[in-house]
Amino acid sequence: MHFYQSERIALFIDGANLYATAKSLGFDIDYKRLLGLFRQKGQLVRALYYTALAEDQEYSSIRPLIDWLDYNGFTMVTKPTKEFTDAAGRRKVKGNMDIELTVDAMRLAASLDHIVIFSGDGDFRSLVGALQQMGKRVSVVSTLQTQPPMVADELRRQADQFVDLADLEQQICRDPSTRVGREDTRRSGFGGRAPSYSRDQAAYEDNDDLPEEV
C-alpha cells in the first residue's frame, strides 16, 4: 500500500460492501484502528461512511456503530431504506448509496490528492476514471482472496492502486474479546472501540451494494 506523506487523503466507505467483504474474509473491522492506519499514511482530510437505515424501526441493529463512528472521526452519510414487493411477491428493501458516494467524491476532489474507495462494486469504475482525469490518485480496497473475488475486475484495473483487505487484516481487525454487545454498548455511551456492524444490516441494503452482484 503506497501513499505519500504529503498527500491529502479521503476515505469513501461503502458500508454494506465493506461489511460483506470483511465477513467473507472471516474478520471484523476495528474502525478506530482503520482510521489510525490511514492517518499514518498521509494527511487524512475526511473519512466518510455510507449506509442506508430502516428509520421505521424502533431500534436499528446498526445504530450503535453509526453513533460511535459519528463521534469518532467519521462523517456519516445515511438515508432511509425503501421497501417494495417484487414481481414474485417477495418483500425487498432498497438502500443503494452509490449516487451519494459519487457526488461527494466529485465535490471534494478539488481539495484532495488521493481518494480511497472501500468497495468492489464495478459501478464505481466511471467515478474512478473521472477522478483520475482530474489528476487524482485513486485506490480501491476490496479483496481477491474469495471465490468468486469480491471486487469487479474492471474496477481493479481502473484504479491506480488496488489494496486487498486481506493484507490489512492484522492492522485493522478487531480482537474478538473486545466485541461489545447491544446492551453493553448502550450503557457505555459508545466509548472505547467501535461496536460491530451487525450482520442483520446486510438485509437492509440494496443488492446492488453487495459485492456478489459485481
Side-chain angles (χ1 to χ4, degrees), residues 1 3 12 17 38 114-122 124-125 127-129 131-132 137-144 150-165 168:
M1 187 164 63
F3 289 81
F12 293 84
N17 198 289
F38 283 92
H114 196 154
I115 289 92
V116 184
I117 299 174
F118 286 77
S119 181
D121 192 336
F124 288 122
R125 179 185 180 181
L127 169 62
V128 174
L131 292 168
Q132 290 169 332
R137 295 181 67 216
V138 184
S139 292
V140 166
V141 181
S142 187
T143 189
L144 291 168
M150 302 292 279
V151 61
D153 186 63
E154 62 269 22
L155 179 64
R156 181 168 62 93
R157 289 173 181 271
Q158 185 70 50
D160 294 294
Q161 175 178 226
F162 173 70
V163 179
D164 200 303
L165 190 67
L168 302 182

Side-chain angles (χ1 to χ4, degrees), residues 41-62:
K41 297 297 181 181
Q43 301 174 33
L44 185 61
V45 175
R46 195 71 55 85
L48 300 101
Y49 187 100
Y50 297 81
T51 189
L53 294 173
E55 292 190 340
D56 59 340
Q57 291 188 343
E58 180 179 351
Y59 178 84
S60 174
S61 57
I62 196 179

Side-chain angles (χ1 to χ4, degrees), residues 78-139:
T78 65
K79 72 178 181 183
T81 57
K82 294 181 179 180
E83 184 176 333
F84 66 97
T85 302
D86 66 13
R90 293 172 299 187
R91 175 179 171 271
K92 297 284 187 177
V93 181
K94 185 177 180 65
N96 192 305
M97 299 294 294
D98 291 2
I99 295 298
E100 287 79 4
L101 191 155
T102 297
V103 170
D104 287 347
M106 295 298 293
R107 182 183 295 145
L108 293 172
S111 59
L112 301 171
D113 302 306
H114 196 154
I115 289 92
V116 184
I117 299 174
F118 286 77
S119 181
D121 192 336
D123 289 344
F124 288 122
R125 179 185 180 181
S126 295
L127 169 62
V128 174
L131 292 168
Q132 290 169 332
Q133 290 179 4
M134 297 171 67
K136 311 303 175 181
R137 295 181 67 216
V138 184
S139 292

Side-chain angles (χ1 to χ4, degrees), residues 13-20 28-29 31 49-52 61-62 64-66 69 174 179 194-205 210:
I13 301 172
D14 180 342
N17 198 289
L18 179 59
Y19 165 74
D28 289 332
I29 293 175
Y31 287 93
Y49 187 100
Y50 297 81
T51 189
S61 57
I62 196 179
L65 176 61
I66 295 299
L69 294 174
R174 174 190 302 280
R179 186 172 298 190
S196 297
Y197 188 113
S198 168
R199 62 175 53 91
D200 295 336
Q201 179 63 14
Y204 300 136
E205 303 294 346
L210 299 178

